[in-house]
Amino acid sequence: MGEQQQVTFPQQVIDEYAALGVDLPALFSAGHLGTRMGVQILEASAERVVGTMPVEGNTQPYGLLHGGASAVLAETLGSVGSMLHGGTSKIAVGVDLNCTHHRGARSGLVTGVATPVHRGRSTATYEVVISDEEGRRVCSARITCLLRDVRAGDEAHARTDG
């Protein structure tokens, strides 16, 4: 899973979150489940989120990419897009995830691309297409996130200074 890649965010988004004490590239370069699975966010905006994940280490007993791993990648990318759409006054919380698995992947990286289907005031829905290194669709997913107002204590979970 190796080297960490720098996440690409529009500069105005980085500046907006930095003013609140949140280092967005650090927040999305490190993490818990996504880090263990090797998810890398390569590009992130409310209009498009791109990320990769290795197949190795994320397989089921037959050696194929685990459907749950595809779900983790899809939910991660859709949640990032939803969070960026909601802005600094909202928290994006996944409320629905649907994945259709089209083909297996046995090696290499899969790439997910999340694009908005709906971006409203209280919900955001993203379609996520996950493809193998040959560009073949592995999984189609749809995630809907509730956009709720930031409450006291929420900011502490997004800050990188402790």
Side-chain angles (χ1 to χ4, degrees), residues 52-53 55 103-112 129-138:
T52 61
M53 181 179 66
V55 173
R103 68 179 326 114
R106 291 190 178 276
S107 63
L109 286 176
V110 290
T111 299
V129 174
I130 300 174
S131 304
D132 64 15
E133 291 181 321
E134 287 77 42
R136 299 176 297 192
R137 189 178 293 225
V138 172

PDB file of all heavy atoms in Angstrom, residues 52-53 55 103-112 129-138:
ATOM      1  N   THR A  52      -8.454   5.620  -5.227  1.00  0.00           N
ATOM      2  CA  THR A  52      -8.039   4.271  -5.594  1.00  0.00           C
ATOM      3  C   THR A  52      -7.956   3.393  -4.351  1.00  0.00           C
ATOM      4  O   THR A  52      -7.891   3.897  -3.222  1.00  0.00           O
ATOM      5  CB  THR A  52      -6.660   4.264  -6.282  1.00  0.00           C
ATOM      6  OG1 THR A  52      -5.685   4.793  -5.372  1.00  0.00           O
ATOM      7  CG2 THR A  52      -6.668   5.068  -7.572  1.00  0.00           C
ATOM      8  N   MET A  53      -7.931   2.086  -4.597  1.00  0.00           N
ATOM      9  CA  MET A  53      -7.781   1.111  -3.525  1.00  0.00           C
ATOM     10  C   MET A  53      -7.140  -0.136  -4.128  1.00  0.00           C
ATOM     11  O   MET A  53      -7.533  -0.568  -5.215  1.00  0.00           O
ATOM     12  CB  MET A  53      -9.157   0.768  -2.940  1.00  0.00           C
ATOM     13  CG  MET A  53      -9.132  -0.228  -1.792  1.00  0.00           C
ATOM     14  SD  MET A  53     -10.805  -0.549  -1.159  1.00  0.00           S
ATOM     15  CE  MET A  53     -11.549  -1.364  -2.587  1.00  0.00           C
ATOM     16  N   VAL A  55      -6.480  -4.067  -4.720  1.00  0.00           N
ATOM     17  CA  VAL A  55      -7.255  -5.295  -4.585  1.00  0.00           C
ATOM     18  C   VAL A  55      -6.592  -6.180  -3.524  1.00  0.00           C
ATOM     19  O   VAL A  55      -7.269  -6.726  -2.650  1.00  0.00           O
ATOM     20  CB  VAL A  55      -7.363  -6.030  -5.940  1.00  0.00           C
ATOM     21  CG1 VAL A  55      -8.017  -7.398  -5.770  1.00  0.00           C
ATOM     22  CG2 VAL A  55      -8.133  -5.168  -6.944  1.00  0.00           C
ATOM     23  N   ARG A 103     -18.268  -7.365 -11.996  1.00  0.00           N
ATOM     24  CA  ARG A 103     -17.207  -8.311 -12.348  1.00  0.00           C
ATOM     25  C   ARG A 103     -16.213  -8.359 -11.215  1.00  0.00           C
ATOM     26  O   ARG A 103     -16.152  -7.447 -10.392  1.00  0.00           O
ATOM     27  CB  ARG A 103     -16.527  -7.919 -13.656  1.00  0.00           C
ATOM     28  CG  ARG A 103     -15.721  -6.649 -13.574  1.00  0.00           C
ATOM     29  CD  ARG A 103     -14.998  -6.222 -14.866  1.00  0.00           C
ATOM     30  NE  ARG A 103     -14.530  -7.292 -15.685  1.00  0.00           N
ATOM     31  CZ  ARG A 103     -14.986  -7.579 -16.913  1.00  0.00           C
ATOM     32  NH1 ARG A 103     -15.915  -6.828 -17.456  1.00  0.00           N
ATOM     33  NH2 ARG A 103     -14.509  -8.573 -17.599  1.00  0.00           N
ATOM     34  N   GLY A 104     -15.420  -9.396 -11.184  1.00  0.00           N
ATOM     35  CA  GLY A 104     -14.405  -9.537 -10.148  1.00  0.00           C
ATOM     36  C   GLY A 104     -13.099  -8.893 -10.563  1.00  0.00           C
ATOM     37  O   GLY A 104     -12.812  -8.725 -11.743  1.00  0.00           O
ATOM     38  N   ALA A 105     -12.319  -8.530  -9.577  1.00  0.00           N
ATOM     39  CA  ALA A 105     -10.952  -8.043  -9.795  1.00  0.00           C
ATOM     40  C   ALA A 105     -10.056  -8.868  -8.888  1.00  0.00           C
ATOM     41  O   ALA A 105     -10.382  -9.100  -7.724  1.00  0.00           O
ATOM     42  CB  ALA A 105     -10.850  -6.556  -9.466  1.00  0.00           C
ATOM     43  N   ARG A 106      -8.929  -9.332  -9.421  1.00  0.00           N
ATOM     44  CA  ARG A 106      -8.021 -10.192  -8.656  1.00  0.00           C
ATOM     45  C   ARG A 106      -6.707  -9.516  -8.276  1.00  0.00           C
ATOM     46  O   ARG A 106      -6.007  -9.994  -7.395  1.00  0.00           O
ATOM     47  CB  ARG A 106      -7.696 -11.454  -9.440  1.00  0.00           C
ATOM     48  CG  ARG A 106      -8.861 -12.387  -9.599  1.00  0.00           C
ATOM     49  CD  ARG A 106      -8.416 -13.723 -10.171  1.00  0.00           C
ATOM     50  NE  ARG A 106      -9.532 -14.633 -10.286  1.00  0.00           N
ATOM     51  CZ  ARG A 106      -9.988 -15.384  -9.291  1.00  0.00           C
ATOM     52  NH1 ARG A 106      -9.440 -15.327  -8.116  1.00  0.00           N
ATOM     53  NH2 ARG A 106     -11.017 -16.194  -9.497  1.00  0.00           N
ATOM     54  N   SER A 107      -6.372  -8.421  -8.948  1.00  0.00           N
ATOM     55  CA  SER A 107      -5.083  -7.776  -8.664  1.00  0.00           C
ATOM     56  C   SER A 107      -5.135  -6.320  -9.094  1.00  0.00           C
ATOM     57  O   SER A 107      -6.100  -5.861  -9.713  1.00  0.00           O
ATOM     58  CB  SER A 107      -3.960  -8.502  -9.416  1.00  0.00           C
ATOM     59  OG  SER A 107      -4.169  -8.405 -10.811  1.00  0.00           O
ATOM     60  N   GLY A 108      -4.076  -5.615  -8.747  1.00  0.00           N
ATOM     61  CA  GLY A 108      -3.951  -4.221  -9.154  1.00  0.00           C
ATOM     62  C   GLY A 108      -4.736  -3.270  -8.277  1.00  0.00           C
ATOM     63  O   GLY A 108      -5.053  -3.564  -7.124  1.00  0.00           O
ATOM     64  N   LEU A 109      -5.032  -2.130  -8.857  1.00  0.00           N
ATOM     65  CA  LEU A 109      -5.797  -1.088  -8.182  1.00  0.00           C
ATOM     66  C   LEU A 109      -7.162  -0.971  -8.841  1.00  0.00           C
ATOM     67  O   LEU A 109      -7.297  -1.159 -10.049  1.00  0.00           O
ATOM     68  CB  LEU A 109      -5.116   0.284  -8.321  1.00  0.00           C
ATOM     69  CG  LEU A 109      -3.878   0.580  -7.527  1.00  0.00           C
ATOM     70  CD1 LEU A 109      -3.339   1.961  -7.909  1.00  0.00           C
ATOM     71  CD2 LEU A 109      -4.145   0.516  -6.047  1.00  0.00           C
ATOM     72  N   VAL A 110      -8.157  -0.634  -8.032  1.00  0.00           N
ATOM     73  CA  VAL A 110      -9.443  -0.211  -8.589  1.00  0.00           C
ATOM     74  C   VAL A 110      -9.542   1.286  -8.341  1.00  0.00           C
ATOM     75  O   VAL A 110      -8.990   1.812  -7.369  1.00  0.00           O
ATOM     76  CB  VAL A 110     -10.642  -0.973  -7.982  1.00  0.00           C
ATOM     77  CG1 VAL A 110     -10.637  -2.420  -8.445  1.00  0.00           C
ATOM     78  CG2 VAL A 110     -10.677  -0.883  -6.474  1.00  0.00           C
ATOM     79  N   THR A 111     -10.225   1.967  -9.249  1.00  0.00           N
ATOM     80  CA  THR A 111     -10.393   3.413  -9.157  1.00  0.00           C
ATOM     81  C   THR A 111     -11.880   3.723  -9.102  1.00  0.00           C
ATOM     82  O   THR A 111     -12.660   3.213  -9.914  1.00  0.00           O
ATOM     83  CB  THR A 111      -9.774   4.115 -10.380  1.00  0.00           C
ATOM     84  OG1 THR A 111      -8.367   3.816 -10.414  1.00  0.00           O
ATOM     85  CG2 THR A 111      -9.966   5.631 -10.312  1.00  0.00           C
ATOM     86  N   GLY A 112     -12.248   4.555  -8.148  1.00  0.00           N
ATOM     87  CA  GLY A 112     -13.625   4.997  -8.019  1.00  0.00           C
ATOM     88  C   GLY A 112     -13.751   6.461  -8.381  1.00  0.00           C
ATOM     89  O   GLY A 112     -12.884   7.262  -8.024  1.00  0.00           O
ATOM     90  N   VAL A 129     -18.647   5.048  -9.704  1.00  0.00           N
ATOM     91  CA  VAL A 129     -18.291   3.991 -10.643  1.00  0.00           C
ATOM     92  C   VAL A 129     -16.883   3.523 -10.275  1.00  0.00           C
ATOM     93  O   VAL A 129     -15.943   4.325 -10.240  1.00  0.00           O
ATOM     94  CB  VAL A 129     -18.333   4.501 -12.105  1.00  0.00           C
ATOM     95  CG1 VAL A 129     -17.817   3.419 -13.062  1.00  0.00           C
ATOM     96  CG2 VAL A 129     -19.743   4.923 -12.466  1.00  0.00           C
ATOM     97  N   ILE A 130     -16.762   2.239  -9.988  1.00  0.00           N
ATOM     98  CA  ILE A 130     -15.475   1.646  -9.639  1.00  0.00           C
ATOM     99  C   ILE A 130     -15.037   0.773 -10.809  1.00  0.00           C
ATOM    100  O   ILE A 130     -15.785  -0.104 -11.255  1.00  0.00           O
ATOM    101  CB  ILE A 130     -15.571   0.825  -8.340  1.00  0.00           C
ATOM    102  CG1 ILE A 130     -16.020   1.738  -7.185  1.00  0.00           C
ATOM    103  CG2 ILE A 130     -14.234   0.145  -8.031  1.00  0.00           C
ATOM    104  CD1 ILE A 130     -16.300   1.012  -5.879  1.00  0.00           C
ATOM    105  N   SER A 131     -13.810   1.030 -11.300  1.00  0.00           N
ATOM    106  CA  SER A 131     -13.279   0.325 -12.465  1.00  0.00           C
ATOM    107  C   SER A 131     -11.939  -0.309 -12.150  1.00  0.00           C
ATOM    108  O   SER A 131     -11.208   0.158 -11.266  1.00  0.00           O
ATOM    109  CB  SER A 131     -13.090   1.299 -13.635  1.00  0.00           C
ATOM    110  OG  SER A 131     -14.307   1.952 -13.935  1.00  0.00           O
ATOM    111  N   ASP A 132     -11.602  -1.350 -12.915  1.00  0.00           N
ATOM    112  CA  ASP A 132     -10.292  -1.983 -12.756  1.00  0.00           C
ATOM    113  C   ASP A 132      -9.260  -1.232 -13.594  1.00  0.00           C
ATOM    114  O   ASP A 132      -9.577  -0.217 -14.238  1.00  0.00           O
ATOM    115  CB  ASP A 132     -10.352  -3.479 -13.092  1.00  0.00           C
ATOM    116  CG  ASP A 132     -10.701  -3.777 -14.548  1.00  0.00           C
ATOM    117  OD1 ASP A 132     -10.639  -2.871 -15.414  1.00  0.00           O
ATOM    118  OD2 ASP A 132     -11.039  -4.954 -14.822  1.00  0.00           O
ATOM    119  N   GLU A 133      -8.039  -1.723 -13.599  1.00  0.00           N
ATOM    120  CA  GLU A 133      -6.965  -1.025 -14.310  1.00  0.00           C
ATOM    121  C   GLU A 133      -7.140  -1.024 -15.824  1.00  0.00           C
ATOM    122  O   GLU A 133      -6.527  -0.215 -16.512  1.00  0.00           O
ATOM    123  CB  GLU A 133      -5.607  -1.634 -13.936  1.00  0.00           C
ATOM    124  CG  GLU A 133      -5.229  -1.333 -12.516  1.00  0.00           C
ATOM    125  CD  GLU A 133      -3.880  -1.900 -12.114  1.00  0.00           C
ATOM    126  OE1 GLU A 133      -3.546  -3.023 -12.518  1.00  0.00           O
ATOM    127  OE2 GLU A 133      -3.163  -1.191 -11.360  1.00  0.00           O
ATOM    128  N   GLU A 134      -7.992  -1.906 -16.345  1.00  0.00           N
ATOM    129  CA  GLU A 134      -8.290  -1.919 -17.773  1.00  0.00           C
ATOM    130  C   GLU A 134      -9.493  -1.037 -18.109  1.00  0.00           C
ATOM    131  O   GLU A 134      -9.938  -1.009 -19.256  1.00  0.00           O
ATOM    132  CB  GLU A 134      -8.548  -3.357 -18.259  1.00  0.00           C
ATOM    133  CG  GLU A 134      -7.286  -4.207 -18.355  1.00  0.00           C
ATOM    134  CD  GLU A 134      -6.820  -4.693 -16.988  1.00  0.00           C
ATOM    135  OE1 GLU A 134      -7.666  -5.104 -16.172  1.00  0.00           O
ATOM    136  OE2 GLU A 134      -5.604  -4.640 -16.732  1.00  0.00           O
ATOM    137  N   GLY A 135     -10.029  -0.345 -17.118  1.00  0.00           N
ATOM    138  CA  GLY A 135     -11.172   0.540 -17.339  1.00  0.00           C
ATOM    139  C   GLY A 135     -12.511  -0.172 -17.360  1.00  0.00           C
ATOM    140  O   GLY A 135     -13.528   0.429 -17.696  1.00  0.00           O
ATOM    141  N   ARG A 136     -12.530  -1.452 -16.976  1.00  0.00           N
ATOM    142  CA  ARG A 136     -13.781  -2.208 -16.947  1.00  0.00           C
ATOM    143  C   ARG A 136     -14.504  -1.947 -15.632  1.00  0.00           C
ATOM    144  O   ARG A 136     -13.892  -1.950 -14.569  1.00  0.00           O
ATOM    145  CB  ARG A 136     -13.508  -3.703 -17.097  1.00  0.00           C
ATOM    146  CG  ARG A 136     -12.835  -4.034 -18.426  1.00  0.00           C
ATOM    147  CD  ARG A 136     -12.483  -5.491 -18.502  1.00  0.00           C
ATOM    148  NE  ARG A 136     -11.516  -5.791 -17.443  1.00  0.00           N
ATOM    149  CZ  ARG A 136     -10.829  -6.931 -17.359  1.00  0.00           C
ATOM    150  NH1 ARG A 136     -11.017  -7.886 -18.245  1.00  0.00           N
ATOM    151  NH2 ARG A 136      -9.972  -7.123 -16.380  1.00  0.00           N
ATOM    152  N   ARG A 137     -15.810  -1.726 -15.722  1.00  0.00           N
ATOM    153  CA  ARG A 137     -16.612  -1.436 -14.535  1.00  0.00           C
ATOM    154  C   ARG A 137     -16.688  -2.675 -13.645  1.00  0.00           C
ATOM    155  O   ARG A 137     -17.118  -3.733 -14.075  1.00  0.00           O
ATOM    156  CB  ARG A 137     -18.002  -0.970 -14.934  1.00  0.00           C
ATOM    157  CG  ARG A 137     -18.811  -0.443 -13.747  1.00  0.00           C
ATOM    158  CD  ARG A 137     -20.175   0.051 -14.170  1.00  0.00           C
ATOM    159  NE  ARG A 137     -20.055   1.237 -15.016  1.00  0.00           N
ATOM    160  CZ  ARG A 137     -20.817   2.318 -14.869  1.00  0.00           C
ATOM    161  NH1 ARG A 137     -21.746   2.362 -13.935  1.00  0.00           N
ATOM    162  NH2 ARG A 137     -20.660   3.348 -15.659  1.00  0.00           N
ATOM    163  N   VAL A 138     -16.283  -2.503 -12.399  1.00  0.00           N
ATOM    164  CA  VAL A 138     -16.326  -3.555 -11.394  1.00  0.00           C
ATOM    165  C   VAL A 138     -17.584  -3.420 -10.551  1.00  0.00           C
ATOM    166  O   VAL A 138     -18.214  -4.404 -10.180  1.00  0.00           O
ATOM    167  CB  VAL A 138     -15.053  -3.487 -10.503  1.00  0.00           C
ATOM    168  CG1 VAL A 138     -15.144  -4.432  -9.332  1.00  0.00           C
ATOM    169  CG2 VAL A 138     -13.807  -3.759 -11.339  1.00  0.00           C
TER     170      VAL A 138
END
